[in-house]
Amino acid sequence: MSITEFAAAQWTRATGAGVDPHEYRRVADGLGSVGDWGPSLRRTGREYLERAERAGSAVSAGEHLLMAARWFHLSTLAPDAETPQGAAEADRALGRALDVLEPGARRVSGDGFTGWLRGPADAPGTVIIVPGLDSAKEEFLDLASALLSRGLAVFAMDGPGQGSLAAATALTPEYERVVGRVIDALGGERTGRLGLVGLSLGGYFAARAAALEPRVDVAAVVSGLFRVDWEQLPPPVRELMARRAKGADAARAFAREVDLSALAPRIAAPLLVVDGGADVIPGVTNGEPLARLAPHGSFLSVPHGDHLLGNARADWLPVVADHFARHLKTHRQRGVPA
């Protein structure tokens, strides 16, 4: 794939993650090959770190650090020798930003996970945000902001094989165990009910956890995977999965587990499934069957939406945030199940 094709393929993902579209074009237009992607985007991230040092206010410094975190994360989408460093820099920049902008935010880490707990101590509920195959907590800052603005708490996380943990850990299909450890670790840190939202492969993780972890009260899946056929997946996706699973055999075994047919009917929580009509990946069955099989499933299809729906945020982001606010707040206010 040429750099022009690669940059075009990442366009809505990058802008959906919150980077300035004009700056993205300037950075992408200066690349000579896909091999330039990581170094150039990490350099852009470091330019934002420098802006943060020169900023005239704490707010400006924090905003520059958040943008640095986005660029460092996006640098990992074309892996090179420095990819783990890019993920680590994204993690550090996000932590520094929250130290400045949200002194009450707390890092919570445990066996196979790390992330940031944000929001009011007396929130009616906490939503765990689960990333996907090559995404990370730094990619979904706007989703976190939408949930926070509705009075909810948020725990944005990296799990095994994801984000800042990708270099040292491997993907696991049994993500409900990870979610269970997260809930245990949050313990007295969180209040109210528990929500779970997963994006891309994280949608499979979230749906699986909603089926098997009884403490999940409400869930949503965005661009999620209902089923995967390893043999039909495009080679770049198989290669990426092999890197994150730590080997082709492990990736093939992982892909065999990605099937929600038996688990979907066990999801007792209200479940919103969002798919983009333009999201077509060979070998991947999207979320409509999940919404149909889940006892309390609902389905939102955005016809022009691509994978992760970065080109259609207005069509789904408020709907997902309102879904959690409605179900997590109703229980507290009325004293009845949502």
Side-chain angles (χ1 to χ4, degrees):
M1 179 182 292
S2 71
I3 183 55
T4 301
E5 294 168 327
F6 183 83
Q10 308 306 324
W11 162 254
T12 60
R13 183 167 178 181
T15 56
V19 305
D20 180 84
H22 302 288
E23 183 172 30
Y24 179 83
R25 285 206 164 111
R26 287 197 301 272
V27 173
D29 287 349
L31 303 178
S33 70
V34 175
D36 295 333
W37 174 272
S40 181
L41 270 65
R42 288 191 292 271
R43 186 163 55 250
T44 304
R46 290 176 191 127
E47 290 171 358
Y48 274 98
L49 296 183
E50 293 171 1
R51 289 187 178 101
E53 295 297 327
R54 301 192 304 267
S57 70
V59 172
S60 293
E63 290 172 346
H64 288 318
L65 289 166
L66 286 178
M67 193 59 67
R70 292 178 171 99
W71 281 103
F72 283 131
H73 163 63
L74 292 170
S75 77
T76 70
L77 300 185
D80 59 29
E82 301 300 321
T83 293
Q85 180 179 344
E89 290 190 85
D91 182 71
R92 285 194 295 271
L94 176 58
R96 289 178 59 193
L98 294 179
D99 284 344
V100 171
L101 297 174
E102 298 178 32
R106 301 190 58 155
R107 167 82 77 167
V108 181
S109 300
D111 182 12
F113 71 89
T114 189
W116 285 92
L117 178 62
R118 303 167 59 190
D122 61 348
T126 301
V127 182
I128 300 171
I129 301 177
V130 179
L133 182 57
D134 64 349
S135 55
K137 60 189 181 300
E138 294 82 16
E139 187 165 343
F140 305 119
L141 295 173
D142 284 357
L143 173 57
S145 293
L147 295 165
L148 290 166
S149 71
R150 286 158 174 80
L152 302 172
V154 170
F155 183 68
M157 64 175 288
D158 293 332
Q162 297 172 317
S164 59
L165 302 182
T169 61
L171 287 174
T172 175
E174 297 173 332
Y175 212 93
E176 71 281 359
R177 297 184 180 180
V178 182
V179 170
R181 293 195 293 271
V182 168
I183 297 171
D184 291 340
L186 294 180
E189 300 277 0
R190 71 176 184 88
T191 61
R193 308 179 81 211
L194 186 81
L196 187 62
V197 56
L199 301 100
S200 189
L201 180 61
Y204 163 74
F205 292 144
R208 178 176 173 127
L212 298 173
E213 171 50 72
R215 291 174 288 181
V216 175
D217 295 301
V218 56
V221 168
V222 179
S223 289
L225 282 62
F226 179 79
R227 185 186 297 112
V228 166
D229 182 337
W230 172 262
E231 299 303 328
Q232 297 298 317
L233 288 174
V237 178
R238 290 202 300 266
E239 292 165 7
L240 173 58
M241 193 173 289
R243 284 194 296 272
R244 293 302 174 97
K246 303 298 188 268
D249 290 342
R252 189 177 293 106
F254 174 88
R256 284 198 296 268
E257 295 291 324
V258 181
D259 188 339
L260 293 168
S261 302
L263 290 175
R266 298 176 59 180
I267 300 175
L271 172 70
L272 172 62
V273 177
V274 181
D275 271 348
D279 180 10
V280 180
I281 302 174
V284 172
T285 301
N286 291 340
E288 189 277 333
L290 172 62
R292 179 165 34 84
L293 293 171
H296 304 288
S298 58
F299 184 60
L300 172 62
S301 177
V302 181
H304 59 284
D306 56 14
H307 191 62
L308 292 174
L309 295 104
N311 66 333
R313 289 193 300 174
D315 295 298
W316 69 271
L317 187 54
V319 178
V320 169
D322 288 344
H323 170 74
F324 285 105
R326 181 171 65 254
H327 288 287
L328 294 176
K329 290 182 175 181
T330 299
H331 185 269
R332 165 172 283 195
Q333 292 168 353
R334 298 183 182 175
V336 297

